[in-house]
Amino acid sequence: MVIKKRSHRKRDTSPTLVIKEHDNELTMDDKTRSESPVPGLFRSSSPESPVPALRASSMLSSSTLSSFDYDMPNVDSSNMSSSSSQVSSKFTMFRKNKAVKWILGAIIKLAIMFVLVRVQRQRKLVDDASTNDNTADNTQQLEQLYAMPLPTTPQELSEVNGELAKLDPEFILKWAHHHLHDSPELGDSHPLVQATSFGPTGLVILDQLSLHNLLDTIPVITMDTLHLFPESYTFYETVQSHYKSPLHLTITKPLDMIEEPILSKAEFEESYSSTLWKDDPKLYTKVTKLEPMQQRLEEWNAVMWITGRRRSQGGERVKLDVLEFEPYPQGSDMYSSAAKSTSPFHSSKGRWKLNPLAYWSYDQVWSYIRDNNVPYNSLYDQGYTSIGDEMTTSKPEKADEGERSGRFAGFGESNKECGLHVDFDFEAAADNKLDYQEEKEEEEAEPEGAENVTCDIDKARQGECSEE
């Protein structure tokens, strides 16, 4: 007898999650739940489970759930409102607290300042690097320039002018200063002097001397003719105030018959006349400009003087070189005492004239003045382009006229120079000065109210004399 054992299948007692999808009831055992692509999505719905039941709210496929609803636990809304109110109250108090606001503002300002300082330091490093490169280049250029001495022959003068024509005014001035002020034979004299009427070009040169620390050793001289515009006298004070102590400014006055300074216009007219400027322009130039300047240059033992002439000013200046040699004029004391020397440019035979801005244009000059805030005579704002004595200076009649077209009106186109830069016959001017002196003495010797009476003997006897 064969007894067959009955097989017993083990009963699956694992809990089953019941999910309702619409009206269909679906079941999923633990095994299927563990293989779900969304871990932890299905949980037990037993009462012991801390997780609320999960209900599908949309279509459920065999592998994923597209969406579901989750029953949130009940939360006390009054507690939430109270907490929110407390946070809002603290924030309002924080916002209204002035001390906190001040601290935050200070922190922000410090942060901004820190950033700006860092940026400024970086820029300074870049600028210093660029400046060092430029300084090195300038130093090398100056060393090469200093090796070029003052010329002793016309050929050398031509070569030197060829080199100077390529340079900026800074290097031209430093070159001249180097050769004249480093010479041991000059002692305490002033071998290099700037002569100026404070026109635009002269002001640029003056500013360059100040910028490169040369005003301490280069004095500035200007000639007061006693016939300048009131604005020009005011500008004297402006210049001295602007450049202050480094500026050694000397203002000369016209010289009388015995070469003593004349201090007022009335005194000048008494010594000469009120119309000397048009009766004898050369003598007027001699006593108001040439003699006073030459007197001071001799006292200083000046070897070179700096001028503000430029080629673009036209007239006799169109072929101007940077460096010129001006022989002492015939008839002057300097000419008669000239030493015999093989060099045509010996200091006993004349003086050097330096024109640092010889190749600059009128627009270049004024661009420099405006860009560097250089003070200038207020008359230029009124339309004047060149300023001298009040009676010989006018505004240009046309906009396209030359820069100096308003100077010496009525004296002809060939007489536009101020007199300092033309060949001057000192002997003839001295004779004219003596003539003026004799005429003045005769006028002073004649009694006041004297009348010229012509009367012959016969008429005189009869009492019939005529007055003329």
Side-chain angles (χ1 to χ4, degrees), residues 180-181 183-191:
L180 296 177
H181 280 270
S183 177
E185 64 184 37
L186 297 173
D188 297 330
S189 61
H190 297 290

Side-chain angles (χ1 to χ4, degrees), residues 1 106 188 219 303 343 418:
M1 179 173 163
D188 297 330
V303 177
S343 173
C418 66

Side-chain angles (χ1 to χ4, degrees), residues 80-243:
M80 290 184 63
S81 177
S82 176
S83 299
S84 175
S85 176
Q86 291 178 3
V87 171
S88 176
S89 177
K90 290 181 179 180
F91 179 78
T92 302
M93 292 177 59
F94 179 79
R95 183 167 54 85
K96 291 183 177 180
N97 193 318
K98 293 183 178 180
V100 174
K101 290 175 66 176
W102 185 88
I103 293 173
L104 288 176
I107 293 173
I108 293 173
K109 289 179 181 179
L110 288 173
I112 294 174
M113 290 176 62
F114 176 77
V115 173
L116 291 176
V117 169
R118 289 294 300 270
V119 171
Q120 189 174 4
R121 285 182 179 178
Q122 291 295 330
R123 288 180 177 177
K124 189 175 184 302
L125 291 174
V126 174
D127 292 342
D128 289 345
S130 176
T131 301
N132 291 334
D133 292 341
N134 293 335
T135 302
D137 294 341
N138 292 348
T139 301
Q140 184 178 4
Q141 186 175 4
L142 283 173
E143 289 177 355
Q144 296 175 354
L145 191 61
Y146 292 161
M148 181 176 65
L150 284 168
T152 57
T153 66
Q155 178 63 28
E156 291 180 2
L157 176 59
S158 177
E159 294 173 357
V160 168
N161 273 316
E163 293 297 323
L164 296 180
K166 307 172 186 176
L167 301 176
D168 291 333
E170 169 193 351
F171 296 101
I172 296 173
L173 293 169
K174 287 182 176 180
W175 171 80
H177 182 270
H178 170 80
H179 283 294
L180 296 177
H181 280 270
D182 290 350
S183 177
E185 64 184 37
L186 297 173
D188 297 330
S189 61
H190 297 290
L192 185 58
V193 178
Q194 182 192 7
T196 178
S197 60
F198 296 120
T201 311
L203 291 172
V204 171
I205 295 172
L206 178 62
D207 194 71
Q208 283 282 297
L209 292 175
S210 173
L211 181 64
H212 302 295
N213 302 316
L214 300 177
L215 277 180
D216 287 334
T217 53
I218 299 179
V220 179
I221 184 172
T222 188
M223 282 67 69
D224 175 14
T225 66
L226 302 176
H227 295 80
L228 303 177
F229 286 88
E231 291 86 348
S232 298
Y233 290 110
T234 301
F235 189 65
Y236 283 170
E237 300 175 3
T238 303
V239 169
Q240 294 181 82
S241 175
H242 185 78
Y243 293 103

Side-chain angles (χ1 to χ4, degrees), residues 229-232 376-385 387 395:
F229 286 88
E231 291 86 348
S232 298
Y376 59 87
N377 195 321
S378 61
L379 290 173
Y380 290 106
D381 290 333
Q382 300 179 26
Y384 291 91
T385 55
I387 301 172
K395 300 177 185 178

Side-chain angles (χ1 to χ4, degrees), residues 312-325:
S312 61
Q313 291 172 325
E316 298 179 2
R317 307 183 181 191
V318 292
K319 295 183 180 180
L320 187 69
D321 287 322
V322 175
L323 184 64
E324 300 174 305
F325 188 81

Side-chain angles (χ1 to χ4, degrees), residues 377-435:
N377 195 321
S378 61
L379 290 173
Y380 290 106
D381 290 333
Q382 300 179 26
Y384 291 91
T385 55
S386 181
I387 301 172
D389 289 331
E390 191 170 6
M391 65 281 185
T392 59
T393 303
S394 61
K395 300 177 185 178
E397 295 180 359
K398 300 178 181 178
D400 58 348
E401 286 184 321
E403 179 181 340
R404 294 177 60 81
S405 61
R407 298 293 299 275
F408 305 99
F411 287 85
E413 291 299 322
S414 60
N415 294 309
K416 295 296 183 183
E417 280 292 348
C418 66
L420 290 177
H421 309 289
V422 296
D423 294 333
F424 196 85
D425 190 344
F426 270 74
E427 189 172 356
D431 292 340
N432 290 349
K433 191 173 183 179
L434 289 174
D435 293 340

